[in-house]
Coordinates of all heavy atoms in Angstrom, one line a residue:
M1 N 35.0 98.0 94.5 CA 34.1 99.2 94.5 C 34.5 100.1 95.6 O 34.9 99.7 96.7 CB 32.7 98.5 94.8 CG 31.6 99.6 94.7 SD 30.0 98.7 94.8 CE 29.0 100.2 94.3
E2 N 34.3 101.4 95.3 CA 34.7 102.4 96.3 C 33.4 103.1 96.8 O 32.4 103.3 96.1 CB 35.6 103.5 95.6 CG 37.0 102.9 95.3 CD 38.0 103.9 94.8 OE1 37.5 104.8 94.1 OE2 39.1 103.8 95.1
F3 N 33.5 103.5 98.1 CA 32.5 104.2 98.8 C 33.0 105.4 99.5 O 34.1 105.4 100.1 CB 31.9 103.3 99.9 CG 31.4 102.0 99.3 CD1 32.1 100.8 99.1 CD2 30.0 101.9 99.0 CE1 31.6 99.7 98.6 CE2 29.4 100.7 98.4 CZ 30.3 99.6 98.3
L4 N 32.2 106.5 99.5 CA 32.5 107.6 100.3 C 31.6 107.5 101.6 O 30.4 107.4 101.5 CB 32.2 108.9 99.6 CG 32.4 110.2 100.4 CD1 33.8 110.5 100.7 CD2 31.9 111.4 99.5
V5 N 32.3 107.4 102.7 CA 31.6 107.2 104.0 C 31.8 108.3 105.0 O 32.9 108.7 105.2 CB 32.1 105.8 104.6 CG1 31.3 105.5 105.9 CG2 31.9 104.7 103.6
N6 N 30.7 108.8 105.6 CA 30.7 109.8 106.6 C 30.3 109.1 107.9 O 29.2 108.4 107.9 CB 29.8 110.9 106.3 CG 29.7 111.9 107.4 OD1 28.6 112.2 107.9 ND2 30.8 112.5 107.7
I7 N 31.1 109.2 108.9 CA 30.8 108.6 110.3 C 30.8 109.6 111.3 O 31.8 110.4 111.4 CB 31.8 107.4 110.6 CG1 31.8 106.3 109.5 CG2 31.5 106.9 112.0 CD1 32.8 105.3 109.6
K8 N 29.7 109.7 112.1 CA 29.6 110.6 113.2 C 29.7 109.7 114.5 O 28.9 108.7 114.6 CB 28.4 111.4 113.2 CG 28.4 112.4 112.0 CD 27.1 113.1 111.9 CE 27.2 114.0 110.6 NZ 25.9 114.2 110.0
L9 N 30.5 110.1 115.4 CA 30.6 109.3 116.7 C 30.0 110.1 117.9 O 30.1 111.4 117.9 CB 32.1 109.2 117.1 CG 32.9 108.1 116.2 CD1 34.3 108.4 116.2 CD2 32.6 106.8 116.7
R10 N 29.4 109.4 118.8 CA 28.9 110.1 120.0 C 29.3 109.1 121.2 O 28.7 108.1 121.3 CB 27.4 110.2 119.9 CG 26.8 111.0 121.2 CD 25.3 111.2 121.1 NE 24.9 111.9 120.0 CZ 23.9 111.6 119.2 NH1 23.1 110.5 119.5 NH2 23.6 112.3 118.2
W11 N 30.3 109.6 121.9 CA 30.7 108.8 123.1 C 29.6 108.9 124.1 O 29.0 110.0 124.3 CB 32.0 109.3 123.7 CG 33.2 109.2 122.7 CD1 33.9 110.2 122.1 CD2 33.8 108.0 122.2 NE1 34.9 109.7 121.3 CE2 34.9 108.4 121.4 CE3 33.6 106.6 122.5 CZ2 35.7 107.5 120.7 CZ3 34.4 105.7 121.8 CH2 35.4 106.1 121.0
S12 N 29.5 107.9 125.0 CA 28.5 107.9 126.1 C 28.9 109.0 127.1 O 30.1 109.2 127.3 CB 28.5 106.6 126.8 OG 28.2 105.5 125.9
E13 N 28.0 109.7 127.6 CA 28.3 110.8 128.5 C 29.0 110.4 129.8 O 29.9 111.1 130.2 CB 27.0 111.5 129.0 CG 26.3 112.3 127.8 CD 25.1 113.1 128.3 OE1 25.1 113.4 129.5 OE2 24.3 113.4 127.5
N14 N 28.7 109.2 130.3 CA 29.4 108.7 131.5 C 30.3 107.5 131.2 O 30.5 106.7 132.1 CB 28.4 108.4 132.6 CG 27.3 107.4 132.1 OD1 27.3 107.0 130.9 ND2 26.5 107.0 132.9
M15 N 30.9 107.5 130.0 CA 31.7 106.5 129.6 C 33.0 106.4 130.5 O 33.6 107.5 130.7 CB 32.1 106.7 128.1 CG 32.9 105.6 127.5 SD 33.2 105.9 125.7 CE 33.7 104.4 125.2
D16 N 33.4 105.2 130.8 CA 34.6 105.1 131.6 C 35.8 105.5 130.7 O 36.0 105.1 129.6 CB 34.7 103.6 131.9 CG 36.0 103.2 132.7 OD1 37.1 103.6 132.3 OD2 35.8 102.7 133.8
P17 N 36.6 106.4 131.3 CA 37.8 106.9 130.4 C 38.7 105.8 130.0 O 39.3 105.9 128.9 CB 38.5 107.9 131.4 CG 37.5 108.2 132.5 CD 36.5 107.0 132.5
N18 N 38.9 104.8 130.8 CA 39.8 103.6 130.4 C 39.1 102.9 129.2 O 39.9 102.5 128.3 CB 40.0 102.7 131.6 CG 40.8 103.4 132.7 OD1 41.7 104.1 132.4 ND2 40.4 103.1 133.9
L19 N 37.8 102.7 129.2 CA 37.2 102.1 128.1 C 37.3 102.9 126.8 O 37.6 102.4 125.8 CB 35.7 101.9 128.4 CG 34.9 101.3 127.2 CD1 35.4 100.0 126.7 CD2 33.4 101.2 127.6
K20 N 37.1 104.2 127.0 CA 37.3 105.1 125.8 C 38.7 105.1 125.2 O 38.8 104.9 124.0 CB 36.9 106.6 126.1 CG 36.9 107.5 125.0 CD 36.5 108.9 125.5 CE 36.5 109.9 124.4 NZ 36.1 111.2 124.8
E21 N 39.6 105.1 126.1 CA 41.1 105.0 125.7 C 41.3 103.7 125.0 O 42.0 103.7 123.9 CB 42.0 105.2 126.9 CG 43.4 105.6 126.5 CD 43.5 106.8 125.7 OE1 42.8 107.8 125.9 OE2 44.4 106.9 124.8
R22 N 40.8 102.6 125.5 CA 41.0 101.3 124.9 C 40.3 101.2 123.5 O 40.9 100.7 122.6 CB 40.5 100.2 125.8 CG 40.8 98.8 125.3 CD 40.2 97.7 126.1 NE 38.7 97.8 125.7 CZ 37.7 97.1 126.3 NH1 38.0 96.4 127.4 NH2 36.5 97.2 125.8
V23 N 39.1 101.7 123.4 CA 38.5 101.6 122.1 C 39.2 102.5 121.1 O 39.4 102.1 119.9 CB 36.9 102.2 122.2 CG1 36.4 102.4 120.9 CG2 36.2 101.3 123.1
I24 N 39.8 103.6 121.5 CA 40.5 104.5 120.6 C 41.8 103.7 120.1 O 42.1 103.7 118.9 CB 40.9 105.8 121.2 CG1 39.6 106.7 121.3 CG2 41.9 106.6 120.4 CD1 39.8 107.9 122.2
R25 N 42.5 103.1 121.0 CA 43.7 102.3 120.7 C 43.3 101.2 119.7 O 44.0 100.9 118.7 CB 44.3 101.7 121.9 CG 45.3 102.7 122.6 CD 46.2 101.9 123.6 NE 45.5 100.9 124.4 CZ 44.9 101.1 125.5 NH1 44.8 102.3 126.0 NH2 44.3 100.1 126.2
E26 N 42.2 100.4 120.0 CA 41.8 99.3 119.2 C 41.4 99.8 117.8 O 41.7 99.1 116.8 CB 40.7 98.5 119.9 CG 41.1 97.8 121.1 CD 39.9 97.1 121.8 OE1 38.8 97.2 121.4 OE2 40.3 96.5 122.9
E27 N 40.7 100.9 117.7 CA 40.2 101.5 116.5 C 41.4 101.8 115.6 O 41.4 101.5 114.4 CB 39.4 102.7 116.8 CG 38.7 103.3 115.6 CD 37.4 102.5 115.1 OE1 37.0 101.6 115.9 OE2 36.9 102.8 114.0
R28 N 42.4 102.4 116.2 CA 43.6 102.8 115.3 C 44.4 101.5 114.9 O 44.8 101.5 113.7 CB 44.6 103.7 116.2 CG 43.9 105.1 116.3 CD 44.8 106.0 117.1 NE 44.1 107.3 117.1 CZ 44.4 108.3 118.0 NH1 45.4 108.1 118.9 NH2 43.7 109.4 118.0
A29 N 44.5 100.5 115.7 CA 45.1 99.3 115.3 C 44.3 98.6 114.2 O 44.8 98.1 113.2 CB 45.3 98.4 116.5
H30 N 43.0 98.6 114.4 CA 42.1 97.9 113.4 C 42.2 98.7 112.1 O 42.2 98.1 111.0 CB 40.7 97.9 113.9 CG 39.8 97.0 113.2 ND1 39.8 95.7 113.2 CD2 38.8 97.3 112.3 CE1 38.9 95.2 112.5 NE2 38.3 96.1 111.9
A31 N 42.2 100.0 112.1 CA 42.3 100.8 110.9 C 43.6 100.5 110.2 O 43.6 100.5 108.9 CB 42.2 102.3 111.2
A32 N 44.7 100.4 110.9 CA 46.0 100.1 110.3 C 45.9 98.7 109.5 O 46.4 98.6 108.4 CB 47.1 100.0 111.3
D33 N 45.2 97.7 110.1 CA 45.0 96.5 109.3 C 44.1 96.7 108.1 O 44.4 96.1 107.1 CB 44.3 95.5 110.3 CG 45.2 94.9 111.3 OD1 46.5 95.1 111.2 OD2 44.7 94.4 112.4
L34 N 43.1 97.5 108.2 CA 42.2 97.8 107.1 C 42.9 98.5 106.0 O 42.7 98.3 104.8 CB 40.9 98.5 107.5 CG 40.0 97.8 108.4 CD1 38.9 98.7 109.0 CD2 39.4 96.6 107.7
I35 N 43.9 99.3 106.4 CA 44.7 100.0 105.3 C 45.6 99.0 104.6 O 45.6 99.0 103.4 CB 45.6 101.1 106.0 CG1 44.7 102.2 106.5 CG2 46.7 101.6 105.0 CD1 45.4 103.2 107.4
K36 N 46.2 98.1 105.3 CA 47.0 97.0 104.7 C 46.2 96.1 103.8 O 46.7 95.7 102.8 CB 47.7 96.2 105.8 CG 48.8 96.9 106.6 CD 49.3 96.0 107.7 CE 50.3 96.8 108.5 NZ 50.7 96.1 109.7
Q37 N 45.0 95.9 104.2 CA 44.1 95.0 103.4 C 43.5 95.8 102.2 O 42.9 95.1 101.3 CB 42.9 94.5 104.2 CG 43.3 93.6 105.3 CD 42.2 93.3 106.3 OE1 41.0 93.3 105.9 NE2 42.5 93.0 107.5
G38 N 43.7 97.1 102.1 CA 43.2 97.9 101.0 C 41.8 98.3 101.1 O 41.2 98.9 100.2
H39 N 41.2 98.2 102.3 CA 39.8 98.7 102.5 C 39.7 100.1 102.8 O 38.8 100.8 102.3 CB 39.1 97.8 103.6 CG 38.9 96.4 103.2 ND1 38.1 96.0 102.1 CD2 39.4 95.2 103.8 CE1 38.1 94.7 102.1 NE2 38.9 94.2 103.0
L40 N 40.6 100.6 103.7 CA 40.5 102.0 104.1 C 41.6 102.7 103.2 O 42.8 102.5 103.3 CB 40.9 102.2 105.5 CG 40.9 103.6 106.1 CD1 39.7 104.4 105.7 CD2 41.1 103.6 107.6
V41 N 41.1 103.6 102.3 CA 42.0 104.2 101.3 C 42.4 105.6 101.7 O 43.6 106.0 101.6 CB 41.2 104.3 99.9 CG1 42.1 105.0 98.9 CG2 40.9 102.9 99.5
R42 N 41.5 106.4 102.2 CA 41.8 107.8 102.7 C 40.8 108.1 103.9 O 39.7 107.5 103.9 CB 41.5 108.8 101.6 CG 42.4 108.8 100.4 CD 43.8 109.2 100.6 NE 43.9 110.5 101.3 CZ 44.1 111.7 100.7 NH1 44.0 111.8 99.5 NH2 44.2 112.7 101.5
M43 N 41.3 109.0 104.7 CA 40.4 109.4 105.9 C 40.7 110.9 106.2 O 41.8 111.2 106.2 CB 40.7 108.5 107.1 CG 39.9 108.8 108.3 SD 38.2 108.3 108.2 CE 38.3 106.6 108.0
W44 N 39.6 111.6 106.4 CA 39.7 113.0 106.8 C 38.9 113.2 108.1 O 37.8 112.7 108.2 CB 39.1 113.9 105.7 CG 39.9 113.9 104.5 CD1 40.9 114.6 104.1 CD2 39.6 113.0 103.3 NE1 41.3 114.3 102.8 CE2 40.6 113.3 102.3 CE3 38.7 111.9 103.1 CZ2 40.6 112.6 101.1 CZ3 38.8 111.3 101.9 CH2 39.7 111.6 100.9
R45 N 39.4 114.0 108.9 CA 38.7 114.5 110.2 C 37.9 115.7 109.9 O 38.3 116.6 109.1 CB 39.7 114.7 111.3 CG 39.1 115.3 112.5 CD 40.3 115.6 113.5 NE 41.3 114.7 113.4 CZ 42.4 114.7 114.1 NH1 42.6 115.6 115.0 NH2 43.3 113.7 114.0
V46 N 36.7 115.8 110.5 CA 36.0 117.1 110.4 C 36.4 117.9 111.6 O 36.2 117.4 112.8 CB 34.4 116.9 110.4 CG1 33.7 118.2 110.4 CG2 34.1 116.0 109.2
P47 N 37.0 119.1 111.4 CA 37.5 119.9 112.5 C 36.4 120.2 113.6 O 35.3 120.4 113.2 CB 38.0 121.2 111.9 CG 38.3 120.8 110.5 CD 37.3 119.7 110.1
C48 N 36.8 120.1 114.8 CA 36.0 120.4 116.0 C 34.8 119.5 116.2 O 33.8 119.8 116.8 CB 35.5 121.9 115.9 SG 36.9 123.0 115.8
R49 N 34.8 118.3 115.5 CA 33.7 117.4 115.7 C 34.2 115.9 115.8 O 35.3 115.7 115.3 CB 32.8 117.5 114.5 CG 32.1 118.8 114.3 CD 31.3 118.9 113.1 NE 30.1 118.1 113.3 CZ 28.9 118.3 112.6 NH1 28.9 119.2 111.8 NH2 28.0 117.5 113.0
F50 N 33.4 115.0 116.3 CA 33.8 113.6 116.3 C 33.1 113.0 115.0 O 32.1 112.4 115.1 CB 33.3 113.0 117.6 CG 34.1 113.3 118.8 CD1 33.4 114.0 119.8 CD2 35.4 113.0 119.0 CE1 34.1 114.4 121.0 CE2 36.1 113.4 120.0 CZ 35.4 114.1 121.1
E51 N 33.8 113.4 113.9 CA 33.2 113.0 112.6 C 34.3 112.8 111.6 O 35.3 113.5 111.7 CB 32.2 114.1 112.2 CG 31.6 113.9 110.9 CD 30.6 115.0 110.5 OE1 30.3 115.8 111.3 OE2 30.2 115.0 109.3
N52 N 34.1 111.9 110.7 CA 35.2 111.7 109.6 C 34.5 111.4 108.3 O 33.3 110.9 108.3 CB 36.2 110.7 110.0 CG 35.6 109.3 110.2 OD1 35.1 108.7 109.3 ND2 35.6 108.8 111.5
W53 N 35.2 111.6 107.3 CA 34.9 111.2 105.9 C 36.0 110.3 105.5 O 37.2 110.5 105.7 CB 34.8 112.4 105.0 CG 33.5 113.2 105.1 CD1 33.3 114.2 106.0 CD2 32.3 113.0 104.4 NE1 32.0 114.7 105.9 CE2 31.4 114.0 104.9 CE3 31.8 112.1 103.5 CZ2 30.1 114.1 104.5 CZ3 30.6 112.2 103.0 CH2 29.7 113.2 103.5
G54 N 35.6 109.2 104.7 CA 36.7 108.3 104.2 C 36.3 107.7 102.9 O 35.1 107.6 102.6
I55 N 37.3 107.3 102.2 CA 37.2 106.5 101.0 C 37.5 105.1 101.4 O 38.5 104.8 101.9 CB 38.1 106.9 99.8 CG1 37.9 108.4 99.5 CG2 38.0 106.0 98.6 CD1 36.6 108.7 98.7
W56 N 36.5 104.2 101.2 CA 36.7 102.8 101.6 C 36.5 101.9 100.3 O 35.7 102.3 99.4 CB 35.5 102.4 102.5 CG 35.6 103.1 103.9 CD1 35.3 104.4 104.2 CD2 36.1 102.5 105.1 NE1 35.5 104.7 105.5 CE2 36.0 103.6 106.1 CE3 36.6 101.3 105.4 CZ2 36.4 103.3 107.4 CZ3 37.0 101.1 106.8 CH2 36.9 102.1 107.7
R57 N 37.2 100.8 100.3 CA 37.0 99.8 99.2 C 36.5 98.5 99.7 O 37.0 98.0 100.7 CB 38.4 99.6 98.5 CG 38.8 100.6 97.6 CD 39.9 100.2 96.6 NE 40.3 101.4 95.9 CZ 41.6 101.9 96.1 NH1 42.4 101.2 96.8 NH2 42.0 103.0 95.5
A58 N 35.5 97.9 99.0 CA 35.0 96.7 99.4 C 34.4 96.0 98.1 O 34.1 96.7 97.1 CB 33.9 96.8 100.4
K59 N 34.3 94.7 98.0 CA 33.8 94.1 96.8 C 32.3 94.5 96.5 O 31.9 94.6 95.4 CB 33.9 92.6 96.8 CG 33.1 91.9 97.9 CD 33.4 90.4 97.8 CE 32.5 89.8 99.0 NZ 32.8 88.3 99.2
D60 N 31.5 94.8 97.6 CA 30.2 95.2 97.4 C 29.7 95.9 98.8 O 30.4 95.9 99.7 CB 29.3 94.0 97.0 CG 29.3 92.9 98.0 OD1 29.6 93.1 99.2 OD2 29.1 91.7 97.5
A61 N 28.4 96.3 98.7 CA 27.9 97.0 100.0 C 27.8 96.1 101.1 O 28.0 96.5 102.3 CB 26.5 97.6 99.6
T62 N 27.6 94.8 100.9 CA 27.5 93.9 102.0 C 28.9 93.7 102.8 O 29.0 93.7 104.0 CB 27.0 92.5 101.5 OG1 25.7 92.6 101.0 CG2 27.0 91.5 102.7
E63 N 29.9 93.7 102.0 CA 31.3 93.6 102.5 C 31.6 94.9 103.3 O 32.1 94.8 104.4 CB 32.3 93.3 101.5 CG 33.7 93.2 102.1 CD 34.8 92.9 101.2 OE1 34.8 93.5 100.1 OE2 35.7 92.1 101.6
L64 N 31.2 96.0 102.7 CA 31.5 97.3 103.4 C 30.7 97.3 104.7 O 31.2 97.7 105.8 CB 31.0 98.5 102.6 CG 31.2 99.8 103.2 CD1 32.7 100.1 103.4 CD2 30.5 100.9 102.6
H65 N 29.4 96.9 104.8 CA 28.6 96.8 106.0 C 29.4 96.0 107.0 O 29.5 96.4 108.2 CB 27.3 96.2 105.7 CG 26.5 95.9 106.9 ND1 25.7 96.9 107.5 CD2 26.3 94.8 107.6 CE1 25.1 96.4 108.6 NE2 25.5 95.0 108.6
D66 N 29.9 94.8 106.6 CA 30.6 94.0 107.6 C 31.9 94.6 108.1 O 32.2 94.5 109.3 CB 31.0 92.7 106.9 CG 29.8 91.8 106.6 OD1 28.7 92.0 107.2 OD2 29.9 90.9 105.8
I67 N 32.6 95.4 107.2 CA 33.7 96.1 107.7 C 33.4 97.2 108.7 O 34.1 97.3 109.7 CB 34.5 96.7 106.4 CG1 35.1 95.6 105.6 CG2 35.6 97.7 106.9 CD1 35.5 96.0 104.2
I68 N 32.4 98.0 108.3 CA 32.1 99.2 109.2 C 31.5 98.7 110.6 O 31.9 99.2 111.6 CB 31.1 100.1 108.5 CG1 31.8 100.7 107.2 CG2 30.7 101.2 109.4 CD1 32.9 101.6 107.4
T69 N 30.7 97.7 110.5 CA 30.0 97.2 111.7 C 31.0 96.4 112.6 O 30.8 96.2 113.8 CB 28.8 96.4 111.5 OG1 29.1 95.2 110.7 CG2 27.7 97.2 110.9
G70 N 32.2 96.1 112.0 CA 33.2 95.4 112.7 C 34.3 96.3 113.4 O 35.1 95.8 114.1
L71 N 34.1 97.6 113.2 CA 35.0 98.5 113.8 C 34.8 98.6 115.3 O 33.6 98.5 115.8 CB 34.8 99.9 113.2 CG 35.1 100.2 111.8 CD1 34.6 101.5 111.2 CD2 36.7 100.0 111.6
P72 N 35.8 98.7 116.1 CA 35.7 98.7 117.6 C 34.8 99.8 118.1 O 34.1 99.7 119.1 CB 37.1 98.9 118.1 CG 38.0 98.3 117.0 CD 37.2 98.6 115.7
A73 N 34.8 101.0 117.4 CA 34.0 102.1 117.8 C 32.5 102.0 117.3 O 31.7 103.0 117.5 CB 34.6 103.5 117.4
N74 N 32.1 101.1 116.6 CA 30.8 100.9 116.0 C 29.7 101.2 117.0 O 28.7 101.9 116.6 CB 30.7 99.6 115.3 CG 29.3 99.5 114.6 OD1 28.4 98.9 115.1 ND2 29.2 100.2 113.4
P75 N 29.7 100.7 118.2 CA 28.6 101.0 119.1 C 28.4 102.5 119.4 O 27.3 102.8 119.8 CB 29.0 100.2 120.4 CG 30.0 99.2 119.9 CD 30.7 99.8 118.8
W76 N 29.4 103.3 119.2 CA 29.2 104.7 119.4 C 29.1 105.5 118.1 O 29.0 106.7 118.1 CB 30.5 105.2 120.2 CG 30.5 104.5 121.5 CD1 29.8 105.0 122.7 CD2 31.2 103.4 121.9 NE1 30.1 104.1 123.7 CE2 30.9 103.1 123.2 CE3 32.0 102.5 121.2 CZ2 31.4 102.0 123.9 CZ3 32.6 101.5 121.8 CH2 32.3 101.2 123.2
M77 N 28.9 104.8 117.0 CA 28.7 105.5 115.7 C 27.2 105.7 115.6 O 26.4 104.8 115.5 CB 29.2 104.7 114.5 CG 30.7 104.5 114.5 SD 31.2 103.4 113.2 CE 32.9 103.3 113.5
H78 N 26.8 107.0 115.7 CA 25.3 107.2 115.7 C 24.7 107.6 114.3 O 23.5 107.7 114.2 CB 25.0 108.3 116.8 CG 25.4 109.7 116.4 ND1 24.5 110.6 115.8 CD2 26.5 110.3 116.5 CE1 25.1 111.7 115.6 NE2 26.4 111.6 116.0
D79 N 25.6 108.0 113.4 CA 25.1 108.3 112.1 C 26.2 107.9 111.0 O 27.3 108.4 111.1 CB 24.8 109.8 112.0 CG 24.1 110.3 110.8 OD1 23.6 109.4 110.0 OD2 24.1 111.5 110.5
I80 N 25.8 107.0 110.1 CA 26.7 106.6 109.1 C 26.0 106.8 107.8 O 24.9 106.3 107.6 CB 27.1 105.1 109.2 CG1 27.8 104.9 110.6 CG2 28.1 104.7 108.2 CD1 28.0 103.5 111.0
V81 N 26.7 107.5 106.9 CA 26.1 107.8 105.5 C 27.1 107.2 104.5 O 28.3 107.5 104.5 CB 25.9 109.3 105.3 CG1 25.4 109.5 103.9 CG2 25.0 109.9 106.3
V82 N 26.6 106.4 103.6 CA 27.4 105.7 102.7 C 27.0 106.2 101.2 O 25.8 106.1 100.9 CB 27.3 104.2 102.7 CG1 28.1 103.5 101.7 CG2 27.8 103.7 104.1
H83 N 27.9 106.6 100.4 CA 27.7 107.0 99.1 C 28.5 106.0 98.1 O 29.8 106.1 98.1 CB 28.1 108.4 98.8 CG 27.4 109.4 99.6 ND1 26.2 109.9 99.3 CD2 27.8 110.0 100.8 CE1 25.8 110.8 100.2 NE2 26.8 110.9 101.1
P84 N 27.9 105.1 97.4 CA 28.7 104.3 96.5 C 29.2 105.2 95.4 O 28.5 106.1 95.0 CB 27.7 103.3 95.9 CG 26.4 103.5 96.7 CD 26.5 104.7 97.4
L85 N 30.4 104.9 94.9 CA 31.1 105.7 93.9 C 31.3 104.9 92.6 O 31.6 103.8 92.7 CB 32.4 106.2 94.4 CG 32.4 107.1 95.7 CD1 33.7 107.4 96.2 CD2 31.6 108.4 95.5
A86 N 31.1 105.6 91.5 CA 31.3 105.0 90.2 C 32.4 105.8 89.5 O 32.5 107.0 89.7 CB 30.1 104.9 89.4
R87 N 33.1 105.2 88.6 CA 34.2 105.9 87.8 C 33.5 107.0 87.0 O 32.4 106.8 86.5 CB 34.9 104.9 86.9 CG 35.8 103.9 87.7 CD 36.5 103.0 86.8 NE 37.5 103.8 86.0 CZ 38.0 103.4 84.9 NH1 37.9 102.2 84.5 NH2 38.9 104.2 84.2
H88 N 34.2 108.1 86.8 CA 33.8 109.2 86.0 C 34.8 109.2 84.8 O 36.0 109.1 85.0 CB 33.8 110.4 86.7 CG 33.1 111.5 86.0 ND1 33.6 112.1 84.9 CD2 31.8 112.1 86.2 CE1 32.7 113.1 84.5 NE2 31.6 113.0 85.3
A89 N 34.3 109.5 83.6 CA 35.2 109.5 82.4 C 36.3 110.5 82.5 O 37.4 110.3 81.9 CB 34.3 109.7 81.2
V90 N 36.2 111.6 83.2 CA 37.2 112.6 83.2 C 38.0 112.6 84.5 O 38.7 113.5 84.8 CB 36.6 114.0 82.9 CG1 36.0 114.1 81.6 CG2 35.6 114.4 84.0
D91 N 37.8 111.6 85.4 CA 38.6 111.5 86.6 C 40.1 111.4 86.3 O 40.5 110.4 85.6 CB 38.2 110.3 87.4 CG 38.8 110.2 88.8 OD1 39.7 111.1 89.1 OD2 38.6 109.2 89.5
P92 N 40.9 112.3 86.8 CA 42.4 112.2 86.4 C 43.1 111.2 87.2 O 44.2 110.9 86.9 CB 42.8 113.6 86.8 CG 41.9 114.1 87.8 CD 40.6 113.5 87.5
A93 N 42.5 110.7 88.3 CA 43.2 109.7 89.1 C 43.1 108.3 88.5 O 42.1 107.9 87.9 CB 42.6 109.7 90.6
P94 N 44.2 107.5 88.7 CA 44.2 106.2 88.2 C 43.2 105.3 89.0 O 43.0 105.6 90.2 CB 45.6 105.7 88.4 CG 46.2 106.6 89.4 CD 45.5 107.9 89.3
Y95 N 42.5 104.4 88.3 CA 41.5 103.6 89.0 C 42.2 102.4 89.6 O 43.0 101.8 89.0 CB 40.4 103.1 87.9 CG 39.3 102.3 88.5 CD1 38.5 102.9 89.5 CD2 39.2 101.0 88.2 CE1 37.4 102.1 90.0 CE2 38.1 100.2 88.8 CZ 37.3 100.8 89.7 OH 36.3 100.1 90.2
H96 N 41.8 102.1 90.9 CA 42.4 101.0 91.6 C 41.3 99.9 91.9 O 41.5 99.2 92.8 CB 43.0 101.5 92.9 CG 44.1 102.4 92.7 ND1 45.4 102.1 92.2 CD2 44.2 103.8 92.8 CE1 46.1 103.1 92.1 NE2 45.4 104.2 92.4
G97 N 40.2 100.0 91.3 CA 39.0 99.1 91.6 C 39.4 97.7 91.9 O 38.8 96.9 92.5

């Protein structure tokens, strides 16, 4: 099943710079693993904001919840919007469900 996910981040105002740098490194490494596993399909940054949109794959909403809440930056994610996606009859892209 595919999901369109919007994640907004808000770093703590007085966050230790070393902690922030570590979380960013861990987030990128974790994302690379999720890509290999087929969960993270596409990712776009929203210019000038700490926000992204992504296409994610999971067997169901519960698995997606576990994936997203397992991200290293999850404690700083202040707004997450999930849209489950269904195939459309005229979608030109091959389905990878």
Side-chain angles (χ1 to χ4, degrees):
M1 183 170 195
E2 291 184 326
F3 300 86
L4 177 63
V5 180
N6 176 242
I7 299 173
K8 295 176 182 147
L9 290 155
R10 183 181 301 139
W11 299 111
S12 305
E13 288 183 26
N14 55 357
M15 185 177 193
D16 180 304
N18 293 323
L19 172 60
K20 184 177 179 180
E21 196 61 38
R22 189 187 73 193
V23 170
I24 290 170
R25 275 194 320 273
E26 290 175 359
E27 188 76 11
R28 289 181 179 162
H30 194 74
D33 288 338
L34 292 171
I35 290 166
K36 289 177 188 171
Q37 295 171 28
H39 293 299
L40 179 53
V41 179
R42 294 290 310 270
M43 181 68 64
W44 296 269
R45 174 185 325 182
V46 177
C48 304
R49 299 178 70 157
F50 291 114
E51 180 178 348
N52 64 66
W53 284 89
I55 301 289
W56 294 77
R57 282 196 192 116
K59 67 181 176 188
D60 56 29
T62 300
E63 182 181 40
L64 179 71
H65 171 83
D66 292 341
I67 292 166
I68 299 294
T69 58
L71 293 170
N74 183 260
W76 297 276
M77 295 176 183
H78 72 95
D79 189 14
I80 302 169
V81 179
V82 176
H83 301 277
L85 302 174
R87 291 184 61 198
H88 194 287
V90 299
D91 182 4
Y95 181 65
H96 300 285

